[in-house]
mmCIF file of all heavy atoms in Angstrom:
data_model
loop_
_atom_site.group_PDB
_atom_site.id
_atom_site.type_symbol
_atom_site.label_atom_id
_atom_site.label_comp_id
_atom_site.label_asym_id
_atom_site.label_seq_id
_atom_site.Cartn_x
_atom_site.Cartn_y
_atom_site.Cartn_z
ATOM 1 N N GLY A 52 -25.373 -4.597 -19.520
ATOM 2 C CA GLY A 52 -24.929 -5.912 -19.974
ATOM 3 C C GLY A 52 -23.771 -6.462 -19.171
ATOM 4 O O GLY A 52 -23.741 -7.653 -18.822
ATOM 5 N N ASN A 53 -22.791 -5.603 -18.862
ATOM 6 C CA ASN A 53 -21.639 -6.062 -18.076
ATOM 7 C C ASN A 53 -22.044 -6.474 -16.667
ATOM 8 O O ASN A 53 -21.517 -7.444 -16.108
ATOM 9 C CB ASN A 53 -20.573 -4.966 -18.007
ATOM 10 C CG ASN A 53 -19.834 -4.784 -19.318
ATOM 11 O OD1 ASN A 53 -19.596 -5.741 -20.044
ATOM 12 N ND2 ASN A 53 -19.488 -3.550 -19.631
ATOM 13 N N TYR A 54 -22.989 -5.754 -16.089
ATOM 14 C CA TYR A 54 -23.427 -6.082 -14.735
ATOM 15 C C TYR A 54 -24.235 -7.371 -14.716
ATOM 16 O O TYR A 54 -24.153 -8.147 -13.753
ATOM 17 C CB TYR A 54 -24.243 -4.923 -14.165
ATOM 18 C CG TYR A 54 -23.429 -3.675 -13.940
ATOM 19 C CD1 TYR A 54 -23.420 -2.646 -14.877
ATOM 20 C CD2 TYR A 54 -22.650 -3.526 -12.791
ATOM 21 C CE1 TYR A 54 -22.666 -1.496 -14.679
ATOM 22 C CE2 TYR A 54 -21.896 -2.384 -12.578
ATOM 23 C CZ TYR A 54 -21.904 -1.381 -13.534
ATOM 24 O OH TYR A 54 -21.153 -0.250 -13.330
ATOM 25 N N ILE A 55 -25.014 -7.610 -15.759
ATOM 26 C CA ILE A 55 -25.765 -8.868 -15.851
ATOM 27 C C ILE A 55 -24.805 -10.044 -15.960
ATOM 28 O O ILE A 55 -24.986 -11.083 -15.306
ATOM 29 C CB ILE A 55 -26.723 -8.826 -17.064
ATOM 30 C CG1 ILE A 55 -27.796 -7.752 -16.853
ATOM 31 C CG2 ILE A 55 -27.361 -10.190 -17.294
ATOM 32 C CD1 ILE A 55 -28.680 -7.517 -18.049
ATOM 33 N N GLU A 56 -23.758 -9.871 -16.772
ATOM 34 C CA GLU A 56 -22.742 -10.922 -16.882
ATOM 35 C C GLU A 56 -22.014 -11.113 -15.559
ATOM 36 O O GLU A 56 -21.707 -12.245 -15.156
ATOM 37 C CB GLU A 56 -21.746 -10.569 -17.989
ATOM 38 C CG GLU A 56 -20.656 -11.604 -18.176
ATOM 39 C CD GLU A 56 -19.655 -11.227 -19.253
ATOM 40 O OE1 GLU A 56 -19.893 -10.222 -19.964
ATOM 41 O OE2 GLU A 56 -18.621 -11.917 -19.370
ATOM 42 N N LEU A 57 -21.750 -10.014 -14.877
ATOM 43 C CA LEU A 57 -21.031 -10.074 -13.601
ATOM 44 C C LEU A 57 -21.829 -10.852 -12.556
ATOM 45 O O LEU A 57 -21.260 -11.583 -11.743
ATOM 46 C CB LEU A 57 -20.758 -8.657 -13.104
ATOM 47 C CG LEU A 57 -19.719 -8.476 -11.995
ATOM 48 C CD1 LEU A 57 -18.350 -8.906 -12.481
ATOM 49 C CD2 LEU A 57 -19.685 -7.017 -11.546
ATOM 50 N N ALA A 58 -23.139 -10.711 -12.593
ATOM 51 C CA ALA A 58 -23.995 -11.379 -11.608
ATOM 52 C C ALA A 58 -23.942 -12.898 -11.722
ATOM 53 O O ALA A 58 -24.231 -13.611 -10.756
ATOM 54 C CB ALA A 58 -25.436 -10.890 -11.756
ATOM 55 N N THR A 59 -23.577 -13.401 -12.902
ATOM 56 C CA THR A 59 -23.515 -14.851 -13.111
ATOM 57 C C THR A 59 -22.084 -15.341 -13.341
ATOM 58 O O THR A 59 -21.886 -16.474 -13.772
ATOM 59 C CB THR A 59 -24.387 -15.244 -14.319
ATOM 60 O OG1 THR A 59 -23.937 -14.530 -15.483
ATOM 61 C CG2 THR A 59 -25.856 -14.897 -14.059
ATOM 62 N N ASP A 60 -21.105 -14.494 -13.044
ATOM 63 C CA ASP A 60 -19.700 -14.828 -13.269
ATOM 64 C C ASP A 60 -19.154 -15.582 -12.049
ATOM 65 O O ASP A 60 -18.964 -14.996 -10.974
ATOM 66 C CB ASP A 60 -18.894 -13.547 -13.510
ATOM 67 C CG ASP A 60 -17.470 -13.837 -13.960
ATOM 68 O OD1 ASP A 60 -16.998 -14.969 -13.763
ATOM 69 O OD2 ASP A 60 -16.823 -12.923 -14.522
ATOM 70 N N GLY A 61 -18.891 -16.873 -12.216
ATOM 71 C CA GLY A 61 -18.403 -17.676 -11.099
ATOM 72 C C GLY A 61 -17.059 -17.228 -10.576
ATOM 73 O O GLY A 61 -16.807 -17.258 -9.371
ATOM 74 N N PHE A 63 -15.828 -14.214 -10.550
ATOM 75 C CA PHE A 63 -15.990 -12.993 -9.768
ATOM 76 C C PHE A 63 -16.480 -13.328 -8.358
ATOM 77 O O PHE A 63 -15.954 -12.799 -7.367
ATOM 78 C CB PHE A 63 -16.979 -12.053 -10.460
ATOM 79 C CG PHE A 63 -17.408 -10.886 -9.608
ATOM 80 C CD1 PHE A 63 -16.565 -9.807 -9.423
ATOM 81 C CD2 PHE A 63 -18.646 -10.885 -8.973
ATOM 82 C CE1 PHE A 63 -16.954 -8.726 -8.626
ATOM 83 C CE2 PHE A 63 -19.041 -9.814 -8.189
ATOM 84 C CZ PHE A 63 -18.189 -8.737 -8.014
ATOM 85 N N TRP A 64 -17.458 -14.201 -8.250
ATOM 86 C CA TRP A 64 -18.013 -14.515 -6.932
ATOM 87 C C TRP A 64 -17.032 -15.324 -6.095
ATOM 88 O O TRP A 64 -17.004 -15.202 -4.860
ATOM 89 C CB TRP A 64 -19.335 -15.250 -7.088
ATOM 90 C CG TRP A 64 -20.413 -14.345 -7.586
ATOM 91 C CD1 TRP A 64 -21.009 -14.348 -8.812
ATOM 92 C CD2 TRP A 64 -20.993 -13.251 -6.868
ATOM 93 N NE1 TRP A 64 -21.918 -13.338 -8.921
ATOM 94 C CE2 TRP A 64 -21.939 -12.649 -7.739
ATOM 95 C CE3 TRP A 64 -20.820 -12.720 -5.598
ATOM 96 C CZ2 TRP A 64 -22.695 -11.549 -7.360
ATOM 97 C CZ3 TRP A 64 -21.571 -11.615 -5.218
ATOM 98 C CH2 TRP A 64 -22.501 -11.048 -6.089
ATOM 99 N N TYR A 262 -8.779 -9.955 -10.437
ATOM 100 C CA TYR A 262 -9.668 -10.290 -11.546
ATOM 101 C C TYR A 262 -9.947 -9.060 -12.401
ATOM 102 O O TYR A 262 -10.031 -9.138 -13.626
ATOM 103 C CB TYR A 262 -10.968 -10.876 -11.010
ATOM 104 C CG TYR A 262 -11.883 -11.424 -12.074
ATOM 105 C CD1 TYR A 262 -11.374 -12.148 -13.156
ATOM 106 C CD2 TYR A 262 -13.257 -11.236 -12.001
ATOM 107 C CE1 TYR A 262 -12.214 -12.653 -14.127
ATOM 108 C CE2 TYR A 262 -14.099 -11.741 -12.969
ATOM 109 C CZ TYR A 262 -13.574 -12.443 -14.033
ATOM 110 O OH TYR A 262 -14.407 -12.937 -15.006
ATOM 111 N N TYR A 275 -15.836 -4.307 -18.985
ATOM 112 C CA TYR A 275 -16.177 -5.297 -17.963
ATOM 113 C C TYR A 275 -15.363 -5.061 -16.694
ATOM 114 O O TYR A 275 -15.884 -5.179 -15.575
ATOM 115 C CB TYR A 275 -15.922 -6.696 -18.502
ATOM 116 C CG TYR A 275 -16.466 -7.803 -17.639
ATOM 117 C CD1 TYR A 275 -17.828 -7.933 -17.430
ATOM 118 C CD2 TYR A 275 -15.616 -8.713 -17.029
ATOM 119 C CE1 TYR A 275 -18.339 -8.945 -16.636
ATOM 120 C CE2 TYR A 275 -16.108 -9.726 -16.232
ATOM 121 C CZ TYR A 275 -17.469 -9.845 -16.045
ATOM 122 O OH TYR A 275 -17.975 -10.853 -15.247
ATOM 123 N N ALA A 278 -16.883 -2.381 -14.710
ATOM 124 C CA ALA A 278 -18.045 -2.870 -13.970
ATOM 125 C C ALA A 278 -17.608 -3.559 -12.679
ATOM 126 O O ALA A 278 -18.238 -3.389 -11.620
ATOM 127 C CB ALA A 278 -18.852 -3.821 -14.839
ATOM 128 N N ILE A 279 -16.522 -4.319 -12.752
ATOM 129 C CA ILE A 279 -15.983 -4.948 -11.544
ATOM 130 C C ILE A 279 -15.542 -3.887 -10.544
ATOM 131 O O ILE A 279 -15.796 -3.994 -9.341
ATOM 132 C CB ILE A 279 -14.803 -5.876 -11.905
ATOM 133 C CG1 ILE A 279 -15.268 -7.018 -12.802
ATOM 134 C CG2 ILE A 279 -14.142 -6.424 -10.645
ATOM 135 C CD1 ILE A 279 -14.141 -7.881 -13.325
ATOM 136 N N GLY A 280 -14.881 -2.828 -11.046
ATOM 137 C CA GLY A 280 -14.441 -1.752 -10.170
ATOM 138 C C GLY A 280 -15.595 -1.030 -9.508
ATOM 139 O O GLY A 280 -15.539 -0.703 -8.317
ATOM 140 N N ALA A 282 -18.551 -2.328 -8.880
ATOM 141 C CA ALA A 282 -19.105 -3.250 -7.894
ATOM 142 C C ALA A 282 -18.246 -3.269 -6.628
ATOM 143 O O ALA A 282 -18.767 -3.270 -5.506
ATOM 144 C CB ALA A 282 -19.206 -4.652 -8.483
#
Side-chain angles (χ1 to χ4, degrees):
N53 287 325
Y54 293 97
I55 295 173
E56 180 181 352
L57 195 64
T59 58
D60 189 342
F63 169 77
W64 289 110
Y262 188 41
Y275 190 64
I279 297 174

